[in-house]
Structures are given as structure tokens and as C-alpha cells.
Amino acid sequence: MRKAAGFFLALMCLFTVQVFGEDVSVARHQVAVDISAHQFASAVAKLAPLLREYPQDPSLWTLRGLALDGLGQTKDSLVSFDHALRLDRRYAPALEGAAQTAYMHRDPRAMHYLQQLLLLAPQNPTANAMAGALAYESHKCDETIQYFTASGETVDQSANALGEFADCLLKADQAAQAERVLSRGLQLHPDNIQLKYNLAVAELGNHQPDQAVALLSPLSTVQDSGLLNLLASAYVQINRPDDAFRTLEDAIRISPEVASNYLDLAILCLDHYQEQRSVQAATAGISRIPGAASLYLIRGVAYAQLGNYDKAEADFKAAARIQPDQPHSTIAMSFIYSDRRQVDKEKQLLLNQLRITPEDAVTNYLYADLLIRLGAEPGQTAFQQAKKHLAISLRSRPDSVEAQVLMGRILEQENDPAGALNHFESALKVDPDNQAALNQELLVLRKLHRRDETDKVIEHLKSVLTKGLQQGIRATQVRTDSGAR
């Protein structure tokens, strides 16, 4: 993000320095003219006698740094800037020259120079923009937002910088601000497809799928499968599934080796109860990308919904072979074994996965739940194992409502109502209307004779149940009306 304006600003600063008299000022001016005319070798030659006569002049060392940078001698250029800064550590032209040179050549000292420059000139837009780009490379989004904001309109000059700025804003849940930043940039770069793509991402993040469709649909003929995939996502959000199907199929034709297009199409089919079409999409992807575990996994889900459990199990096992360290396939097979009451297979499956991923939250929860379902009781080894695995699960995922409720039930069985209540309350902080947690909380409060709190839970539970019944009635009415028509 090196700007000519910043470069010539540094030169203009040099012109005004009057340290060693009129003669050196004229000579310095001639060197600056050479540099502005890209006559870098001539500038270096003229600087040699000047530096011998005036070795304490930081402006001359700064000019030498600029000239050497122009000659591509980055290391020697930074040595000259550093020499100028040893003479005057607050000399802004040297800091600006060093910062720009180090930034352009990805020298690790670039951020140091920029931070020193910003101490002197905190509003310097170019320095802030460069610091924002470096902060983004270091995955420091808070600093990225701070620097790019301070850069003002300078960040708008680079579509890539705008994308970095917007990415951090989205990660900080500032989708509306990301949308404003990218819209402003698009006014300067109206034909930039990358900017339009990023703006559509921000619009979707800001719950504006109609705007995303309006922005991307005119680009549907562009041979960009990623853009089409994003457009399909926007179509889904405005309930235009046929357009989403068509767009994903176009994306597959453009990039038949990209697994995510087949995966998204298969998921879309499942969402619209087209299981066989989902199988076909995943199968097409597998034929092209046989190492894509996600495609086996989604096809297994489709087979399971079709009731073809043997094929589902085969696909889940294939996914597990491809990615043995990922528990998704194990979790899916666990549910199939549970539905088919194949307890021994389910237990062995989960144990095998725990040997591979001993800290996985979901696998530990499922194994603890299985042990409790098999009748483990306090005092038994299996009961203590369940408690241990559940503790591991909650350590990784304390926001898991199911795990919190199960731990509460276990503690209740161990006659620890106060401990149980803590877990039920933790579950309700995540999901205030969770009926299982409310039911268990009610029972424990009664045991503890906490009458006022019990009454409040009863009222809450009544409200939740009433709401559920009303939703059920509305669903029944919709189905009845539909049938009558």
C-alpha cells in the first residue's frame, strides 16, 4: 500500500530541513530531484561526498535510504534509514521511508517502524493503512479494525485491504459496518468482482439476502464457482430453492473438482426432502474427488434417511478411514446403532473413537450417555466412567445443554442436589426454555424445599409447554387446511 503522495511528502519534508546551511540545502534538493526522477544511481553518487562532509545530517542518510531502495538494495536502504534514526530517532521522513521500504519488502521490522511513526503522527493515513494490513497478516483483528478505521479513505484505494477490513469486521459481529465499508469501496471500484463478492458476504451476514442476490445475480455468467456458491446460499435464504439448485449445478460444471459445490448441493437436497437426489449429487462428487470424507458423510446421512442403513454404515466407515481423527462419522454411526438397538456395536465404536480423539466433546458425551442408558448406577465402575467422560465433554464444551443436564442427573443420583442444580442452571443459561433442564430443576428445588424458586420454575415451565402446544396446534391447522384444499 505504498503511495506516491507519502513518498513525495517525505521528500518535501527533506527540502525544508536547514541544518548545515544553504550549500548543503541546494545539494540535497538536487539529490531529491534525482530520486523523484528515478535517477537513483545518480542520487547515490551525489550523496557520497555530502555524507563525508555532513555525516550527522539525518536528511542525507534518509535520501540515501530512498535512493538505495529505488535500486533494489533493501538491506542497505534500511541500514541508511536506521543510521538517520540513530541521529534523530524522531525524524519522521526517515521513519516513513523505513516503514514503506520494510512494508513493501515484507521485512519483519515493518510494524516496528510504523508504530514509531504513528507515535509521531497518529493520524497518518498511509501508515495506518499499512499497519492495518500487517495486523491482518498477524491475525490481530482488533488492531486491524483500529488501524484501517484510522486510515480514513486511504484503505478504499485497495480492494484487497477493504476485504481484509471487512473480514475482521464480520468476525467482530459488525456486519453492518462491513457492508458500509465495502459499499463505499465499490463506488471507487465499480467493476471489481472481488469487492462485489465480499459485499455480498457482508450483506448475508447483515441478514440482507435480497441485496446479495441483486448484487450477484448479474454476475452469474462469470466463470467463478465460488461466487455461484455464494449466490446459491443467498437464494436459499430468500426461499428460492430452484434457483439455488440450478446455480449449484452451474458451479459444479465450472469447477467439477471442488468438493464444496457437491456437498452444498447434497445438503440442499436433504433440506428439501430429496434424499435420492442428494445421493446422486454426493456420488457425482465422490467419483471426481474420492478422498472427500465430507461427501461420504453426507451421502451416508441421505442413505440413513432413506432407511438404507447398510449403505449408510458403509459410507460412514469410508469417511472414518479417510479422516480417522475426525469424529463426525463415528457420531453418525452411533446414532444409527442406537436407532437399531445395536448397543455392543455402538459401545465399541465410541471406544475406538475415544482412543483416537480422547478429548472430543461429543464422543465423550455420547459414551457417557450410553453408559447411563445401559443402567450404570452410583457405586459402579461404569457410573464413574460416565461421570469422567462427561466431565471431559464439559471441559471442552461447557455450553452443551445436553451434557449439563446429564451431569446434573448423575449428581442427583449421587445425592448431590446442590451440585445438580448448578448444572441445570448452566443449561438454562444457554437455553432458557429447555424442558429437560426445567423439569430436573423443578425436582431438585422441591427436594431442597426452595418454595419461591420452585413456583417460578413451574410458571416458566407452564409458559414453555403452552407455547409448544400452540405451535403444535398451528402446525396441525396448516396441515388440515392444506388437506382440505
Side-chain angles (χ1 to χ4, degrees):
M1 194 173 291
R2 183 170 188 169
K3 300 295 177 190
F7 179 81
F8 288 113
L9 174 62
L11 292 181
M12 292 302 295
C13 290
L14 293 172
F15 294 161
T16 62
V17 176
Q18 297 288 338
V19 180
F20 293 101
E22 186 65 27
D23 289 343
V24 70
S25 179
V26 171
R28 183 169 48 231
H29 175 80
Q30 292 173 344
V31 171
V33 169
D34 280 350
I35 292 174
S36 65
H38 291 215
Q39 301 296 319
F40 303 117
S42 173
V44 171
K46 289 177 181 176
L47 281 166
L50 288 172
L51 284 167
R52 283 194 294 272
E53 188 171 355
Y54 306 105
Q56 302 302 308
D57 186 342
S59 68
L60 295 177
W61 287 101
T62 300
L63 284 168
R64 184 174 184 271
L66 292 170
L68 290 171
D69 180 38
L71 290 171
Q73 299 176 29
T74 305
K75 183 177 178 180
D76 290 337
S77 169
L78 290 173
V79 168
S80 286
F81 289 131
D82 284 338
H83 194 96
L85 291 170
R86 280 196 294 275
L87 296 171
D88 183 354
R89 63 186 179 85
R90 295 174 59 83
Y91 190 55
L95 279 171
E96 184 168 336
Q100 289 185 346
T101 298
Y103 175 83
M104 291 298 293
H105 297 285
R106 290 297 182 262
D107 187 280
R109 292 170 289 177
M111 184 58 95
H112 168 74
Y113 291 127
L114 286 167
Q115 288 171 338
Q116 295 303 306
L117 178 58
L118 288 171
L119 286 175
L120 295 179
Q123 302 305 316
N124 184 310
T126 302
N128 274 294
M130 288 191 291
L134 291 177
Y136 183 81
E137 289 179 6
S138 298
H139 310 289
K140 297 177 180 177
C141 264
D142 288 345
E143 293 182 16
T144 300
I145 292 171
Q146 172 193 332
Y147 287 127
F148 278 142
T149 300
S151 76
E153 295 181 358
T154 300
V155 69
D156 298 347
Q157 305 304 313
S158 167
N160 190 60
L162 286 166
E164 294 172 349
F165 192 8
D167 183 37
C168 280
L169 288 168
L170 288 169
K171 288 174 180 174
D173 294 324
Q174 298 182 43
Q177 178 63 12
E179 189 177 345
R180 285 191 289 271
V181 164
L182 292 165
S183 296
R184 189 181 70 207
L186 197 57
Q187 293 176 2
L188 288 178
H189 313 277
D191 299 322
N192 190 291
I193 291 177
Q194 176 183 311
L195 263 181
K196 291 181 179 180
Y197 177 93
N198 289 334
L199 177 55
V201 171
E203 288 169 340
L204 290 177
N206 197 30
H207 311 293
Q208 304 286 345
D210 288 293
Q211 292 184 22
V213 168
L215 181 65
L216 295 178
S217 56
L219 304 174
S220 59
T221 57
V222 174
Q223 300 295 295
D224 183 339
S225 68
L227 185 148
L228 292 178
N229 193 293
L230 185 64
L231 175 58
S233 178
Y235 278 137
V236 168
Q237 292 187 38
I238 62 172
N239 198 28
R240 288 171 57 178
D242 290 340
D243 288 321
F245 281 123
R246 172 183 50 77
T247 303
L248 284 171
E249 287 166 350
D250 288 343
I252 288 170
R253 278 193 289 273
I254 292 170
S255 299
E257 307 303 324
V258 176
S260 61
N261 292 324
Y262 298 99
L263 181 63
D264 289 343
L265 180 57
I267 292 172
L268 181 62
C269 292
L270 282 181
D271 286 343
H272 289 82
Y273 308 104
Q274 298 186 32
E275 290 86 357
Q276 194 58 54
R277 190 175 178 184
S278 179
V279 168
Q280 292 169 357
T283 301
I286 289 168
S287 69
R288 286 276 189 173
I289 316 140
S294 59
L295 293 176
Y296 285 100
L297 190 60
I298 197 65
R299 190 173 70 175
V301 172
Y303 276 136
Q305 288 190 202
L306 288 167
N308 196 332
Y309 291 109
D310 290 338
K311 287 187 175 181
E313 185 176 343
D315 273 347
F316 293 147
K317 287 180 177 177
R321 283 194 298 272
I322 295 169
Q323 289 186 328
D325 58 338
Q326 296 296 319
H328 310 302
S329 303
T330 295
I331 293 164
M333 282 192 285
S334 173
F335 288 129
I336 286 181
Y337 290 148
S338 180
D339 286 343
R340 299 169 78 179
R341 295 183 175 83
Q342 295 177 308
V343 176
D344 291 341
K345 281 189 174 183
E346 183 182 3
K347 186 175 182 179
Q348 191 58 52
L349 176 76
L350 292 170
L351 283 171
N352 290 340
Q353 186 63 50
L354 285 170
R355 279 192 280 271
I356 300 170
T357 55
E359 300 296 319
D360 181 69
V362 179
T363 310
N364 275 286
Y365 164 75
L366 289 174
Y367 188 63
D369 180 63
L370 175 62
L371 293 175
I372 296 300
R373 282 191 283 117
L374 289 174
E377 295 182 355
Q380 296 178 347
T381 301
F383 192 87
Q384 292 306 313
Q385 286 181 338
K387 189 175 179 181
K388 182 192 76 171
H389 285 286
L390 202 52
I392 294 171
S393 178
L394 284 171
R395 192 163 61 236
S396 300
R397 284 283 306 276
D399 61 343
S400 170
V401 173
E402 294 82 0
Q404 291 286 4
V405 170
L406 183 57
M407 182 62 90
R409 286 171 47 205
I410 284 176
L411 292 175
E412 199 176 357
Q413 286 183 267
E414 289 186 321
N415 198 28
D416 180 7
L421 185 61
N422 286 335
H423 285 281
F424 297 140
E425 289 175 345
S426 295
L428 290 167
K429 285 178 183 177
V430 180
D431 181 3
D433 293 342
N434 186 274
Q435 291 186 35
L438 285 168
N439 286 335
Q440 295 293 332
E441 183 184 40
L442 177 62
L443 294 173
V444 172
L445 287 171
R446 280 180 170 170
K447 284 182 181 179
L448 294 172
H449 306 291
R450 289 158 64 168
R451 180 65 182 273
D452 291 343
E453 293 173 77
T454 302
D455 290 343
K456 288 179 182 178
V457 173
I458 290 173
E459 286 301 314
H460 190 173
L461 187 55
K462 189 189 301 180
S463 171
V464 171
L465 292 172
T466 302
K467 189 190 301 182
L469 286 171
Q470 288 173 341
Q471 289 174 341
I473 291 169
R474 283 197 295 271
T476 302
Q477 288 171 341
V478 169
R479 287 195 295 268
T480 303
D481 292 343
S482 175
R485 285 196 298 272

